[in-house]
Amino acid sequence: MAPLAVRLVRILALLGETVNAVHITNSSSSSATVHWLGTKPEVNLGATFGLPWPRGKFFPEYTAFSASDSRGQNLDLQSWATGYWPDGSLKWTGHAIPASHAVSEAYTIKATSRPSSSSRSRNSSSGIIVSETPQQVKVNTGQISVSFPKSGDIVIGGIETAAGKTVGKNGRLVLQSQDAVFDSPDVRGETPVSYFNFQSRISNVTVSDLTSVRTLVTVRGTHSPADGSASHSDWLPFVLRFYLYANSSAIKLVHSLVFDGNATTDFVTGIGVRLDIPLEGEEQYNRHVRIAGVNGGLLNEAVQGITGLRRDPGSAVRTAQVEGKELPDISTWDTRVSSRTQWIPTWADYGLSQLSPDGFTLRKRTKAGQSWLNIPGGTRAEGLAYLGGATVGGLAVGLRDFWKRYPTGLDISNASSNTGTITLWLYSPLAQPLDLRPYHNGLGEDGYADQLDALEITYEDYEPGFDTPYGIARTSEISFYAFDKTPSRETLSLLTGYLNNPPVLVTSPEHIKESGALGTYWDLPDNSSEAARTIESHLDLLAKFYQGQVEQRRWYGFLDYGDFMHTYDADRHTWRYDVGGYAWDNSELSPDLFFWLYFLRTGREDVYRFAEAMTRHTGEVDVYHIGDWKGLGTRHGVQHWSDSAKQARISQPQYRKYFYYLSGGDERVGELLEELLDTDKTYGVLDPNRKVRTDGWTPTPGSTVAMGLGTDWSALAAGWLIDWERRTPRWHESRTKLTNTMSGIANLTNGFVTGSGLYNLSSWTLGPPPADPTNRGTVSVSHLSAVFGLVEVVSELIDWFGDSDLPPGFKDAWLDYCYYFNAGKAEQKARYGVDFGNLNLYQGHSRLTAYVGRARRNETLQRRAWSEFYGTDGLKPSAPWNVTRVSGKGQVLLGEVDEASWFATNDVAQYGLAAVEDLAFVGGLLGSL
Ligand SMILES: *[C@@H]1O[C@H](CO)[C@@H](O)[C@H](O)[C@H]1NC(C)=O
Ligand SMILES: *[C@@H]1O[C@H](CO)[C@@H](O)[C@H](O)[C@H]1NC(C)=O
Ligand SMILES: *[C@@H]1O[C@H](CO)[C@@H](O)[C@H](O)[C@H]1NC(C)=O
Ligand SMILES: *[C@@H]1O[C@H](CO)[C@@H](O)[C@H](O)[C@H]1NC(C)=O
Ligand SMILES: *[C@@H]1O[C@H](CO)[C@@H](O)[C@H](O)[C@H]1NC(C)=O
Ligand SMILES: *[C@@H]1O[C@H](CO)[C@@H](O)[C@H](O)[C@H]1NC(C)=O
């Protein structure tokens, strides 16, 4: 029996009361350490991270957190709850530390139970000052003061340094589009095309509740015609999240857009962020342009160069300019130069274009109306540009993963006038327009019979009108760095590295594991037996292979980066990027889960970065964020949105959960999780099984809807559980939906084996499926049901409720499903009257057997799990387990690549999950098989 105080908290939590009123009797403390992922950064511009805590230990109103560095020095800390256990105790916390010159190897966060009377810890010696008026929010970090207007088209009013210099102002979004594209260059001039320019229009600005160490300013709005006309409606809604840390002169912006245009008439040609840079009073020869090149290299120029001239102003003058320092007074120069500066051109405009992941071009010109001059370009620009002066200061702007998100660009303009500008292009206007039209015309597929037949050949599930990008989103990470004077090249190189590999603080795999806060279905790497070591080496091979394929196959691009492909074409030595349902993976069979679990167990930086890019892609581009299908994702296909199967299994919130909590509650991902709370309603407008349904059921909004207990319910359940954990304003609703549907499944005669049920959109209850209204018991088992998060979500649910609070019968229903899926037809028939038919993905399902084997402490079953893992389908021990290098000369491929044509991504994801979970559940038996 839990102590009284804890029980009281649990009861109050169940009643939905706040837990403030309860006093926790046990006073204790405990700490967790976070370290930098990979190598320690040279500078810390402020960081946010998440920490897990064991159930029942710390309650929010009675817990204080403090931080110290490796030398035991205390530092400021901002702490908040991101997740709770069912008893109201803290499950996950988010923390922010301020910027600091000295960077510690690690930081220790201490949690202390404290009496309710003590005030919130606000030890903000170096705190941020936030002031808010009806017109604007102003944030002063100690290093910079930034204003955010609450209306109009300017999203950053001004950036002022502590020395009082305004180094950036009038920050705004720019967008360009056109209403048609030339299908060939030959028809230019024949096709009438209208062009549109837009800028940001703010609808709402909010500032975070907590602001002492890290302040978040959120700006929402749309892109509106720049000339104020009604030539085009406002569109492309945006959310800008500006993060500012105490003591830091950097601003991090998480920039999110939703596409709400018409793919056949709205072609985006440029997406940018633009700021003005005040340069008034700065001599032209003291104005500097820096643009990041490759591996820390920079284009290092002055607007008016005094090097390389026929006459030499003197080496001190030349050196100062190259170093970006104020030049000695002009009276000290060689007069043959100082008398003739008016004849030296000034270069006002610079442009870098990264139109492919392999190369960028650079150009400059003296001013508009004059010719551009080519500057040598390079391969992969690192995405940062600085404009400023030696005395007036300046601003650097950068985009993370700049070249990986091609076509991108950086423009500097008007650098010779009183106000220069920097434009960062998330989509370069010099590229071809963003063409989101369907890639084929329907091929005459009339009706479901044709569409199902076509699925037989290209594996594409097509339906007219469903291949729409309406509602997809993209999120980008941008940074601004303010300077009182032109910074050194070393500083800019350092910041360029920082931008692209933002330092991440994480706790150890051991600590996450012990807390139980990200499930109990994974464990640390197992090197205890030869067999386990072999599995570990296979997991490593698979993880590295996908990282390498991203590079070799150039899986980069504005929308594509973060995804990878589904199946290989060994004949062409290429992934099937053009063959229907074999192209982009769109989370098919849960690679997101595999790569995140692989990170949790290993703590490896390469795996984290890979999984993070995937989460930023799959949660945004593969999912609809507005419209009737809001909350659904799109099945794998040639375009991320082209397949007509719109499914909750693709938008599965569980795929975002790991990053969400580890990142300290990334607010964009938090928003995505909240968007998914209404996914259940989509079953009232769109039946995922519409093409194959035989029971005559059709969806009606707001009524009772049919849903699968596997791919559908697992996604909804994950979302409801996360919401309950997070205690968002809707968490009572989520809790009711979750417990009701769990009871409903338990109540079905055949439990999960029933396959589907009818869910009531008003009462949130779940009953028997349309084909079995009286619950006599039907059998409908799909190989797909358990491979989109069901196993992981149900495992978390069983832990979450605990045996005493679980809806009666739920665990048995799950254990039965786990037991029978791989039990063979005879046992299935004996139990259910019929067998499950011919299934596949047996290897992946060995983790269900392992789960039930562990739950029932039955060694026979546990051994059965390993025999399924090794001896059914999937990736067998006898597979090659190697990667072959294919070289280009005389080959059918473009260049040298690695291939492993013995698997598809489905196999990898399910092998990976089975390996991780079988090792966790029944790994102890491996040495004695
Ligand atoms: C108080 O917390 C400590 C540390 O977690 C634990 O060892 C102890 O059992 C707890 N005592 C009670 C009465 O719960
Ligand atoms: C701005 O957003 C906040 C939070 O979403 C909301 O509470 C507020 O009503 C909004 N204000 C306006 C003017 O829309
Ligand atoms: C997109 O525009 C075309 C051309 O005006 C129109 O025929 C089509 O119905 C529009 N599509 C949508 C989804 O509104
Ligand atoms: C369980 O099923 C019975 C009828 O079979 C029904 O009366 C009852 O409401 C159901 N309970 C739940 C929680 O769905
Ligand atoms: C373990 O599971 C096997 C296979 O279902 C079964 O035959 C056996 O009776 C179980 N053993 C125990 C101790 O329950
Ligand atoms: C890969 O493994 C296969 C099968 O074991 C073997 O025949 C082949 O030579 C190996 N290839 C390489 C490149 O190691």
Side-chain angles (χ1 to χ4, degrees):
M1 191 57 112
L4 179 65
V6 174
R7 281 211 321 274
L8 250 176
V9 169
R10 187 176 297 161
I11 291 162
L12 287 173
L14 287 172
L15 290 172
E17 300 302 320
T18 58
V19 292
N20 309 20
V22 186
H23 196 81
I24 180 168
T25 48
N26 190 0
S27 167
S28 63
S29 75
S30 123
S31 63
T33 300
V34 287
H35 63 275
W36 299 101
L37 195 58
T39 52
K40 183 182 94 167
E42 288 175 67
V43 59
N44 158 36
L45 300 176
T48 300
F49 54 91
L51 277 178
W53 303 100
R55 182 193 296 247
K57 190 142 188 195
F58 295 108
F59 289 83
E61 292 302 310
Y62 303 95
T63 305
F65 292 95
S66 58
S68 55
D69 64 18
S70 306
R71 301 207 315 275
Q73 299 277 319
N74 285 337
L75 63 147
D76 283 349
L77 184 72
Q78 183 174 308
S79 306
W80 59 94
T82 51
Y84 302 84
W85 292 98
D87 62 5
S89 62
L90 292 170
K91 189 172 187 183
W92 282 95
T93 47
H95 303 272
I97 58 169
S100 60
H101 286 297
V103 186
S104 180
E105 288 290 340
Y107 298 88
T108 299
I109 310 303
K110 190 169 170 194
T112 318
S113 296
R114 61 181 167 91
S116 59
S117 54
S118 76
S119 60
R120 282 182 178 279
S121 63
R122 285 207 48 168
N123 48 338
S124 48
S125 54
S126 60
I128 294 181
I129 298 164
V130 176
S131 54
E132 190 171 2
T133 67
Q135 287 76 40
Q136 65 169 9
V137 174
K138 196 159 191 172
V139 181
N140 187 336
T141 68
Q143 295 291 321
I144 51 171
S145 175
V146 187
S147 60
F148 299 95
K150 286 186 169 173
S151 60
D153 48 20
I154 301 299
V155 297
I156 303 177
I159 303 171
E160 194 182 304
T161 66
K165 296 178 184 176
T166 297
V167 295
K169 62 180 187 182
N170 299 331
R172 65 251 188 222
L173 305 185
V174 289
L175 173 74
Q176 303 174 353
S177 75
Q178 59 191 55
D179 66 356
V181 286
F182 308 113
D183 280 325
S184 126
D186 303 345
V187 300
R188 238 181 255 263
E190 290 168 27
T191 317
V193 179
S194 300
Y195 298 90
F196 305 92
N197 285 298
F198 305 85
Q199 62 192 6
S200 33
R201 174 171 292 174
I202 295 168
S203 58
N204 193 354
V205 176
T206 55
V207 61
S208 52
D209 295 334
L210 297 176
T211 60
S212 64
V213 170
R214 186 192 84 164
T215 300
L216 164 61
V217 177
T218 306
V219 180
R220 290 169 194 276
T222 53
H223 293 82
S224 181
D227 58 6
S229 73
S231 55
H232 192 289
S233 51
D234 289 7
W235 67 314
L236 291 197
F238 63 79
V239 187
L240 307 178
R241 292 186 168 82
F242 294 96
Y243 294 89
L244 296 97
Y245 288 85
N247 296 339
S248 172
S249 52
I251 307 167
K252 178 166 173 188
L253 164 59
V254 177
H255 169 293
S256 305
L257 283 180
V258 176
F259 181 81
D260 63 346
N262 178 331
T264 60
T265 55
D266 289 309
F267 298 88
V268 168
T269 54
I271 302 171
V273 179
R274 179 172 290 163
L275 280 109
D276 292 341
I277 313 296
L279 295 166
E280 192 172 357
E282 190 75 281
E283 298 292 353
Q284 298 293 344
Y285 48 72
N286 281 332
R287 300 182 181 198
H288 304 121
V289 170
R290 304 283 184 268
I291 301 180
V294 183
N295 290 331
L298 291 169
L299 178 81
N300 188 87
E301 301 221 332
V303 168
Q304 187 176 42
I306 48 76
T307 61
L309 298 172
R310 184 161 183 197
R311 308 293 172 213
D312 180 6
S315 74
V317 181
R318 282 186 282 112
T319 305
Q321 189 174 65
V322 171
E323 297 305 317
K325 298 193 171 128
E326 186 181 5
L327 303 197
D329 193 276
I330 195 163
S331 62
T332 67
W333 305 9
D334 186 321
T335 56
R336 287 173 301 169
V337 178
S338 59
S339 63
R340 296 191 178 95
T341 55
Q342 68 274 29
W343 310 130
I344 306 173
T346 54
W347 301 92
D349 299 347
Y350 284 76
L352 181 148
S353 303
Q354 181 86 49
L355 304 186
S356 100
D358 290 306
F360 66 88
T361 53
L362 261 173
R363 59 183 189 168
K364 71 178 183 182
R365 67 181 176 188
T366 54
K367 59 189 253 199
Q370 308 300 141
S371 164
W372 288 100
L373 206 68
N374 283 327
I375 307 172
T379 51
R380 293 172 163 183
E382 290 173 311
L384 178 122
Y386 166 86
L387 173 64
T391 67
V392 300
L395 191 76
V397 181
L399 171 68
R400 181 180 183 188
D401 296 328
F402 183 82
W403 62 263
K404 295 176 185 169
R405 287 172 165 254
Y406 81 94
T408 46
L410 281 163
D411 281 351
I412 284 174
S413 341
N414 302 324
S416 61
S417 65
N418 283 343
T419 307
T421 65
I422 301 183
T423 308
L424 166 67
W425 294 109
L426 307 180
Y427 196 92
S428 168
L430 298 181
Q432 291 293 311
L434 180 62
D435 190 343
L436 305 179
R437 294 176 297 178
Y439 79 98
H440 68 65
N441 68 356
L443 307 170
E445 292 175 31
D446 295 325
Y448 291 166
D450 282 356
Q451 292 159 23
L452 291 169
D453 197 46
L455 183 68
E456 286 293 322
I457 183 70
T458 61
Y459 204 34
E460 177 177 68
D461 193 353
Y462 171 80
E463 190 171 341
F466 280 68
D467 42 3
T468 175
Y470 180 86
I472 67 165
R474 192 52 160 152
T475 286
S476 311
E477 294 175 44
I478 296 164
S479 291
F480 307 94
Y481 306 104
F483 303 96
D484 275 324
K485 54 185 201 273
T486 297
S488 69
R489 291 190 293 275
E490 290 69 26
T491 298
L492 287 174
S493 294
L494 190 105
L495 291 175
T496 303
Y498 202 95
L499 170 74
N500 284 296
N501 271 312
V504 175
L505 284 167
V506 282
T507 188
S508 64
E510 290 82 353
H511 184 79
I512 301 172
K513 169 76 193 163
E514 277 163 22
S515 72
L518 279 177
T520 50
Y521 43 86
W522 57 275
D523 207 336
L524 305 183
D526 184 347
N527 292 306
S528 64
S529 63
E530 186 59 38
R533 283 191 291 276
T534 301
I535 293 174
E536 296 292 346
S537 76
H538 290 169
L539 296 178
D540 177 63
L541 179 144
L542 297 173
K544 286 201 181 116
F545 179 70
Y546 276 77
Q547 292 172 33
Q549 290 293 290
V550 169
E551 165 62 8
Q552 293 180 4
R553 312 291 177 165
R554 298 299 191 269
W555 290 330
Y556 298 122
F558 173 62
L559 292 177
D560 297 335
Y561 178 57
D563 207 349
F564 37 81
M565 294 267 162
H566 182 284
T567 302
Y568 200 65
D569 178 350
D571 293 318
R572 282 188 291 167
H573 298 285
T574 188
W575 291 79
R576 302 182 197 176
Y577 66 96
D578 56 353
V579 187
Y582 293 114
W584 289 118
D585 197 60
N586 284 33
S587 298
E588 187 68 2
L589 303 197
S590 303
D592 309 61
L593 290 179
F594 165 52
F595 287 109
W596 276 117
L597 293 187
Y598 194 49
F599 168 72
L600 290 182
R601 40 199 318 275
T602 60
R604 268 165 55 176
E605 184 188 18
D606 60 329
V607 180
Y608 180 94
R609 300 286 183 195
F610 183 87
E612 181 190 19
M614 176 171 44
T615 296
R616 285 274 187 229
H617 168 90
T618 56
E620 303 272 1
V621 182
D622 300 348
V623 173
Y624 291 114
H625 303 269
I626 51 172
D628 285 347
W629 304 334
K630 174 181 167 181
L632 298 178
T634 298
R635 177 182 179 264
H636 42 106
V638 170
Q639 293 163 305
H640 299 287
W641 53 86
S642 55
D643 199 272
S644 72
K646 308 300 179 189
Q647 305 249 351
R649 73 186 206 210
I650 308 302
S651 55
Q652 170 59 283
Q654 188 76 14
Y655 298 162
R656 320 304 161 225
K657 183 171 192 171
Y658 308 92
F659 178 69
Y660 177 74
Y661 286 124
L662 291 169
S663 65
D666 178 275
E667 283 74 12
R668 171 58 182 171
V669 174
E671 176 175 46
L672 298 181
L673 293 169
E674 279 159 54
E675 280 177 2
L676 295 169
L677 289 177
D678 287 316
T679 306
D680 54 347
K681 295 194 182 131
T682 65
Y683 292 86
V685 291
L686 185 70
D687 175 15
N689 291 326
R690 61 195 177 282
K691 293 184 184 173
V692 290
R693 187 174 288 287
T694 53
D695 56 17
W697 183 83
T698 53
T700 313
S703 72
T704 301
V705 298
M707 68 170 58
L709 304 182
T711 55
D712 298 321
W713 182 79
S714 67
L716 298 172
W720 293 329
L721 174 61
I722 295 169
D723 197 52
W724 183 354
E725 285 178 339
R726 294 178 67 206
R727 302 208 171 190
T728 75
R730 291 178 66 180
W731 74 272
H732 295 101
E733 181 186 327
S734 296
R735 183 184 59 194
T736 305
K737 289 174 173 174
L738 184 61
T739 44
N740 279 2
T741 54
M742 288 170 72
S743 301
I745 292 169
N747 207 16
L748 294 172
T749 300
N750 286 343
F752 281 97
V753 171
T754 312
S756 66
L758 276 174
Y759 169 73
N760 188 307
L761 285 170
S762 323
S763 65
W764 307 329
T765 52
L766 186 124
D772 180 25
T774 55
N775 194 15
R776 295 169 44 183
T778 51
V779 171
S780 173
V781 174
S782 161
H783 61 295
L784 292 180
S785 293
V787 296
F788 285 89
L790 185 68
V791 185
E792 295 72 23
V793 173
V794 171
S795 172
E796 288 194 29
L797 287 174
I798 289 172
D799 291 348
W800 171 263
F801 282 90
D803 281 341
S804 56
D805 291 339
L806 260 181
F810 180 81
K811 188 170 178 180
D812 287 336
W814 176 242
L815 293 182
D816 274 353
Y817 189 84
C818 289
Y819 179 87
Y820 285 101
F821 187 96
N822 265 346
K825 290 186 178 178
E827 283 196 65
Q828 289 162 359
K829 190 149 192 268
R831 167 72 172 78
Y832 294 101
V834 286
D835 64 50
F836 294 175
N838 294 325
L839 299 168
N840 57 54
L841 303 179
Y842 295 119
Q843 179 178 61
H845 281 80
S846 67
R847 69 191 191 277
L848 283 75
T849 310
Y851 187 88
V852 60
R854 190 189 60 158
R856 294 196 175 140
R857 296 191 177 80
N858 182 324
E859 196 180 313
T860 312
L861 268 179
Q862 296 179 5
R863 289 184 182 279
R864 196 185 102 192
W866 283 119
S867 70
E868 292 160 8
F869 179 77
Y870 285 120
T872 51
D873 52 10
L875 302 183
K876 298 210 173 66
S878 58
W881 291 108
N882 64 22
V883 169
T884 308
R885 168 74 35 148
V886 192
S887 60
K889 198 165 184 185
Q891 271 284 3
V892 298
L893 45 91
L894 287 169
E896 209 167 71
V897 289
D898 292 325
E899 65 177 19
S901 56
W902 45 276
F903 61 69
T905 302
N906 278 358
D907 305 314
V908 171
Q910 286 300 305
Y911 172 88
L913 286 168
V916 166
E917 296 177 29
D918 289 351
L919 285 171
F921 295 145
V922 297
L925 285 179
L926 253 193
S928 65
L929 289 182

